[in-house]
Amino acid sequence: MNHFRNIDLNLLIYLDALLRERNVTRAAEQLNITQPAMSNGLKRLRNLLNDPLLVRTSEGMVPTERALSMQKQVRQILYSVEEVIQPSRTFTAESSERVFRIMVSDYAASTLMSPLLKALRDQAPKVTIDLMTPSDVSFHDVENGKVDIAINRFDDLPQSFHQKNLWRDDFTCLIHHEHPLIQDYSLENYLAAQHCWVSKTGFGVGIGMTPDAVQKLGWVDEALAKIGHQRRIRVFTRNYHVAMHLAREGLIATLPTRAAELYADNPDLVLRKPPFPIPEIDLQMIWSPLLQHDEGHRWFRQLVADVAAESCK
């Protein structure tokens, strides 16, 4: 305990930022302190722990084994402290004017937000929703509780995040009703047609795509690659509604079924199951441990889960 009394707990905040950013300047910017102050904090940490913690290499600052072994524990300590000192807020849905910030993919926004807003009108008419795209948000924003929940399909998630699967979806092709593929619907003719690619998973700004980058193209193209085929992609988009409109112009759009069914009543379009198997996908909701016990947050994420479950019936 005597040793503990000599520790400045702010150093744990510095260490957490340094291990996430692996860059002194960026870690300082994240905490709104000066670069010299962060450098001094790193020096004090090195003296305290008798370890260099971050070592400069040709690839930038690399954490030592000791630093990596501490990273998860340091994050959990900070979460625990945050939960202890976080002011408790009572929540009454009927009168609350709280703003809930949601990072939501275009797919989830199109299929989930309408029934969610209806439920909010009935149960919490003064609550406001702030919808953000995956390009607006980073892992850090969710981890730090700046974003209440993120709804998307995620390939990789930090172990600290809480998560819940909202639903599972398969795939459907949207095809113009006069497209030749309708008359002879086969895998061969599907591959010969021109296609629109659409996908956006995880967080951050997407990078440019090329038709040959099968490993980056996602569900549909990975499924085709497994059976030794590749489709002819003419347009790449991250917007499901753009893809659905392009289907009216003659491109084939292979989409999650819930998104495709939004256009089921369009007389120009025909919905068909893909002529090859594609694994189903899960829509996930994730949130920060900092918000796990927040009364209003518990209510809101349960509402989202209930709305998603109801839409599956």
Side-chain angles (χ1 to χ4, degrees):
M1 288 297 295
N2 288 334
H3 180 64
F4 185 75
R5 291 193 190 100
N6 295 326
I7 298 175
D8 179 356
L9 292 182
N10 282 320
L11 291 179
L12 292 181
I13 300 175
Y14 290 7
L15 180 58
D16 177 60
L18 285 164
L19 292 179
R20 278 189 285 150
E21 298 296 336
R22 302 188 183 188
N23 179 285
V24 173
T25 301
R26 288 200 301 270
E29 289 173 351
Q30 185 184 118
L31 298 181
N32 292 315
I33 63 174
T34 65
Q35 191 269 345
M38 181 59 76
S39 294
N40 182 58
L42 177 57
K43 180 180 178 181
R44 292 170 63 194
L45 282 163
R46 285 168 168 166
N47 291 334
L48 176 68
L49 300 171
N50 194 28
D51 188 272
L53 299 175
L54 289 169
V55 178
R56 190 176 303 280
T57 71
S58 60
E59 297 179 355
M61 300 287 276
V62 176
T64 64
E65 280 191 37
R66 174 84 187 278
L68 288 174
S69 70
M70 294 176 62
Q71 186 170 16
K72 184 177 178 181
Q73 291 175 300
V74 168
R75 186 99 282 257
Q76 291 300 328
I77 290 169
L78 294 177
Y79 282 146
S80 299
V81 172
E82 186 78 25
E83 285 181 7
V84 168
I85 65 175
Q86 195 175 57
S88 103
R89 293 188 292 175
T90 59
F91 181 84
T92 304
E94 295 81 2
S95 59
S96 175
E97 297 182 357
R98 184 164 171 175
V99 177
F100 288 100
R101 292 178 171 82
I102 310 176
M103 187 227 81
V104 61
S105 65
D106 178 54
Y107 160 58
S110 300
T111 53
L112 181 61
M113 287 304 107
S114 180
L116 177 60
L117 291 176
K118 183 179 183 303
L120 283 171
R121 281 197 299 270
D122 295 339
Q123 300 183 38
K126 296 182 180 180
V127 161
T128 299
I129 300 297
D130 180 9
L131 299 181
M132 292 171 281
T133 70
S135 299
D136 297 329
V137 174
S138 69
F139 272 127
H140 295 333
D141 295 326
V142 177
E143 189 174 39
N144 295 333
K146 294 178 181 178
V147 176
D148 288 286
I149 59 175
I151 302 175
N152 203 350
R153 178 186 181 273
F154 301 97
D155 293 325
D156 297 295
L157 286 173
Q159 291 184 349
S160 58
F161 282 13
H162 294 277
Q163 58 183 288
K164 180 178 180 60
N165 281 356
L166 295 179
W167 65 51
R168 179 162 286 187
D169 204 356
D170 59 8
F171 285 81
T172 293
C173 298
L174 274 181
I175 310 167
H176 192 276
H177 70 98
E178 294 182 348
H179 196 289
L181 181 60
I182 296 297
Q183 306 306 319
D184 187 3
Y185 193 66
S186 65
L187 176 59
E188 181 181 359
N189 289 333
Y190 174 92
L191 297 172
Q194 297 189 345
H195 294 260
C196 176
W197 175 97
V198 56
S199 180
K200 181 61 180 159
T201 63
F203 296 91
V205 178
I207 60 172
M209 303 297 295
T210 62
D212 294 327
V214 173
Q215 72 276 13
K216 296 180 181 179
L217 292 181
W219 319 297
V220 177
D221 299 279
E222 287 176 1
L224 280 172
K226 286 181 180 178
I227 59 174
H229 293 294
Q230 185 174 352
R231 58 179 174 164
R232 300 167 63 197
I233 299 172
R234 289 295 171 263
V235 176
F236 291 93
T237 179
R238 281 76 179 162
N239 189 296
Y240 281 86
H241 285 288
V242 169
M244 290 184 269
H245 282 296
L246 289 174
R248 297 174 62 186
E249 302 301 320
L251 296 183
I252 310 301
T254 305
L255 312 169
T257 295
R258 288 173 180 267
E261 287 178 343
L262 296 174
Y263 284 70
D265 295 330
N266 190 306
D268 293 333
L269 297 173
V270 175
L271 280 65
R272 292 284 181 86
K273 286 301 177 184
F276 59 98
I278 305 174
E280 293 181 331
I281 59 170
D282 291 317
L283 183 69
Q284 297 165 285
M285 172 173 65
I286 66 171
W287 62 94
S288 168
L290 296 177
L291 298 170
Q292 171 71 2
H293 303 292
D294 180 279
E295 185 178 344
H297 195 274
R298 284 203 306 266
W299 172 86
F300 183 66
R301 63 180 186 258
Q302 186 60 55
L303 179 67
V304 173
D306 290 345
V307 168
E310 182 65 27
S311 72
C312 291
K313 293 180 180 178

